Amino acid sequence: MAMRRLPQVLKTLSLGAPARSLSTEKAISSVIGDHTAKWMQDTSKKSPMELINEVPPIKVDGRIVACEGDINPALGHPIEFICLDRDEPAVCKYCGLRFYQDHHH
C-alpha cells in the first residue's frame, strides 16, 4: 500500500510548494504510518527492542567502555564512550547494548 502512494508523495513534493507545507507533511506521515502499521502487524517477528533486550549486559573491567556497535566498524555506529560508575547497567544510545563494571571486590 505504501509503495502505491510513493509516486503521489513524490508528485506532491515536486509541485513547488513550500519546503514544509502541511499537505507534504501529511502525505509523508501517512506513508510512514502505513509502513509502521504493516510492520507491527507481523507478530511472528521480534521488534528491534526485543532483540537487543535478549543480549545480556556485557561485563567490563574498566570504568569506561567504548561502544562501536559491532566488531566491524563498517557495520557499527559512531564510537561512544560510556562511563560505568553507576550501579545499574549503562546503555549505548546508538545500539542499546548494555554494559556494567565488574567490581573485583
Side-chain angles (χ1 to χ4, degrees), residues 27-73:
I28 292 172
S29 67
S30 173
V31 171
I32 291 171
D34 290 346
H35 173 74
T36 303
K38 181 179 177 184
W39 183 80
M40 295 296 288
Q41 286 176 355
D42 187 3
T43 57
S44 65
K45 296 179 183 177
K46 293 182 179 179
S47 73
M49 290 304 294
E50 289 173 324
L51 291 172
I52 200 68
N53 283 333
E54 289 179 356
V55 177
I58 300 166
K59 182 171 34 173
V60 178
D61 288 330
R63 287 184 51 233
I64 303 208
V65 63
C67 182
E68 295 182 280
D70 193 63
I71 295 170
N72 181 350

